[in-house]
Amino acid sequence: QDGDLVAATMGRGFWILDDITPLREATAKTAAKPAHLFKPAVAIRLRASTNRDTPPPPSEPRGANPPAGAIFDYWLKDDAKEPVTLTVRDAQGKIVRRFSSAATPRNLKANRYFEESWVGDATPRLSAAAGAHRFVWNLRWPRPPAITYHYSISAVWPGDTPLVPQGGLAVPGHYTVTLEVDGRQYTQPLTIRLDPRVQISTRALAANHALEYRISAMLERAIDAYDASGERLAKLRNQGEEERIKLLEAWRDQGPYSLRAVAGALDTLATKLEMSDAAPTEGQQAVFAVYGKKLDALLARWTQRQ
């Protein structure tokens, strides 16, 4: 059924083996190649669970749903000598995401209000070992930078509780995915379809994404200045320049119009946008305009101090 193998058992329900395309595509010729990227199934633009009720305890036996996102299966005949990369591009050839087996864990600042076992992996990595592998892309663009991230109130077991903002979902359409192994590239098409329960135009989703993209670019500038000003503060403290320290601390971290506050307002706006399947509202556009100007003014003052 739609590429899945479904079996019914007497009195025990249904069992589903998701996407058997790789089994059908695997041949002796495939196994003889240095590497192979199997054609991915159509990815449905689904959102992860946002159930706010207390979830079942980990000890309760239950089945697992297939992962939400695009599922990539690939085969390596031997261990790769160089890092393995996987690149997703949109219909215009623009890079949407790039993953690597050499990716290092990201230490993102956030206050955790639950057990560590509920935390998801913030750094998805490919395998470079010989054999068959499966990698899941959650269909999200890169995570926007932020001074401090936050965990969703919808804690999900096992280990899937996201940090927000986490990046907007890709717009439905046609993409290409390229696996690179030791200098050789293997490319397959990828189709992303809208959740059939969601009634919205691609144009509205594109408008949502466009605003998220602009906010992410603003936040990159803000975080660069925040990090640089932190280094400046450390030097001033070593020099004992109290007056300049107070001025810089106020500009950076204190008050409703400090760099921290303005960046926080923008990353909150990014979070609200990525949670919504709708075009930006007038209010969201107004918030973006106001805080964008505030950020420009703050960064201009920082440049003058250099």
Side-chain angles (χ1 to χ4, degrees):
Q1 175 68 31
D2 297 329
D4 298 337
L5 179 61
V6 183
T9 57
M10 180 73 72
R12 301 298 180 193
F14 291 96
W15 300 82
I16 302 175
L17 178 61
D18 298 301
D19 188 18
I20 60 172
T21 302
L23 297 179
R24 289 172 168 164
E25 195 174 322
T27 62
K29 183 177 180 180
T30 299
K33 295 166 59 178
H36 183 77
L37 175 64
F38 294 90
K39 184 178 180 180
V42 172
I44 306 299
R45 190 178 181 273
L46 294 172
R47 293 188 175 275
S49 171
T50 57
N51 181 10
R52 298 177 187 273
D53 294 335
T54 302
S59 58
E60 180 175 317
R62 60 194 185 279
N65 289 324
I71 300 175
F72 304 120
D73 291 285
Y74 64 98
W75 155 266
L76 303 181
K77 184 177 182 180
D78 301 302
D79 292 349
K81 300 179 179 63
E82 300 177 2
V84 174
T85 63
L86 189 144
T87 305
V88 180
R89 292 180 172 84
D90 64 15
Q92 288 71 46
K94 182 177 181 179
I95 294 177
V96 176
R97 291 297 300 268
R98 175 170 281 160
F99 304 96
S100 171
S101 61
T104 55
R106 297 180 64 189
N107 183 22
L108 302 177
K109 295 180 180 179
N111 294 321
R112 176 167 47 85
Y113 63 93
F114 46 80
E115 280 189 20
E116 188 175 1
S117 57
W118 292 65
V119 177
D121 186 357
T123 311
R125 288 177 295 276
L126 298 163
S127 175
H133 304 285
R134 170 165 286 186
F135 181 83
V136 180
W137 170 42
N138 62 5
L139 302 185
R140 292 190 177 275
W141 281 72
R143 185 190 302 277
I147 295 174
T148 304
Y149 291 91
H150 307 278
Y151 283 102
S152 166
I153 195 172
S154 305
V156 182
W157 176 270
D160 290 329
T161 306
L163 274 174
V164 295
Q166 55 182 329
L169 287 169
V171 177
H174 298 289
Y175 296 76
T176 57
V177 55
T178 301
L179 179 75
E180 184 166 346
V181 183
D182 293 336
R184 296 187 179 185
Q185 294 186 344
Y186 307 85
T187 300
Q188 291 284 4
L190 169 67
T191 298
I192 299 177
R193 290 180 184 164
L194 187 64
D195 183 339
R197 299 166 297 180
V198 175
Q199 302 299 318
I200 187 174
S201 69
T202 301
R203 182 177 180 180
L205 289 177
N208 182 301
H209 168 71
L211 186 54
E212 287 184 90
Y213 191 81
R214 294 177 67 187
I215 293 172
S216 184
M218 280 190 166
L219 285 170
E220 285 185 12
R221 296 166 56 211
I223 304 310
D224 286 346
Y226 190 84
D227 292 342
S229 61
E231 295 175 2
R232 174 67 64 84
L233 267 177
K235 291 180 180 178
L236 292 176
R237 287 174 180 138
N238 289 334
Q239 297 167 1
E241 299 190 33
E242 295 299 328
E243 190 63 31
R244 296 179 66 186
I245 290 172
K246 290 180 181 179
L247 289 172
L248 187 52
E249 284 179 337
W251 173 87
R252 186 173 187 261
D253 289 301
Q254 300 170 4
Y257 302 118
S258 64
L259 183 60
R260 173 182 284 274
V262 170
L266 288 170
D267 76 52
T268 298
L269 178 58
T271 300
K272 296 301 182 183
L273 286 167
E274 70 185 30
M275 292 172 61
S276 171
D277 289 322
T281 65
E282 291 184 7
Q284 289 171 331
Q285 293 173 344
V287 168
F288 172 75
V290 169
Y291 281 90
K293 290 179 180 178
K294 291 183 185 300
L295 179 61
D296 287 340
L298 284 165
L299 296 182
R301 287 169 58 191
W302 170 246
T303 301
Q304 292 171 1
R305 289 192 172 107
Q306 303 309 303

